[in-house]
């Protein structure tokens, strides 16, 4: 089993063009966990566990920044949907 903590954060882009982003908050900056276990891959963050592909596993470890088209954002949205469905 391989477990790695991932620091998820917003892309901090300085210069032109400016990227519009919300204020820093715990909603967009948190710790996730990437897990590989016997050929299966999982991602846990904000109280939600997701089964992910090997490619998503590699991408989230390599680039944990939230921005359009990033794997981190894709997983963030999946987690938010799951949290919403759990809360009703």
């Amino acid at each position: 089993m391989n477990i790695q903590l991932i620091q998820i954060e917003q892309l901090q882009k300085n210069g032109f063009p400016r990227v519009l982003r919300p204020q820093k908050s715990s909603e967009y900056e948190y710790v996730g966990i990437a897990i590989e276990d016997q050929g299966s891959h999982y991602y846990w963050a904000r109280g939600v566990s997701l089964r992910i592909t090997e490619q998503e596993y590699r991408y989230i470890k390599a680039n944990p920044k939230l921005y359009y088209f990033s794997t981190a954002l894709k997983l963030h949205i999946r987690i938010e949907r799951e949290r919403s469905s759990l809360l009703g």
Side-chain angles (χ1 to χ4, degrees):
M1 181 181 286
N2 184 9
I3 298 174
Q4 182 173 346
L5 294 178
I6 308 290
Q7 181 63 46
I8 303 299
E9 58 190 21
Q10 296 176 67
L11 180 64
Q12 299 300 314
K13 189 169 186 149
N14 295 324
F16 187 79
R18 281 252 187 249
V19 176
L20 297 177
R21 59 187 178 273
Q23 292 283 79
K24 287 188 171 207
S25 74
S26 61
E27 185 176 342
Y28 299 105
E29 297 194 7
Y30 51 88
V31 175
I33 302 173
I35 304 166
E36 183 273 322
D37 184 31
Q38 299 179 2
S40 296
H41 300 85
Y42 306 91
Y43 180 67
W44 180 92
R46 306 188 75 206
V48 175
S49 178
L50 302 173
R51 186 169 184 145
I52 61 175
T53 66
E54 181 177 358
Q55 184 178 23
E56 289 171 322
Y57 172 79
R58 290 176 191 264
Y59 286 168
I60 193 66
K61 287 175 38 175
N63 183 13
K65 305 287 187 195
L66 293 171
Y67 62 91
Y68 284 113
F69 306 112
S70 74
T71 297
L73 182 60
K74 177 181 167 186
L75 295 176
H76 175 81
I77 291 169
R78 283 176 57 190
I79 286 169
E80 290 306 306
R81 285 183 186 153
E82 186 68 27
R83 290 181 76 213
S84 293
S85 69
L86 292 174
L87 296 175

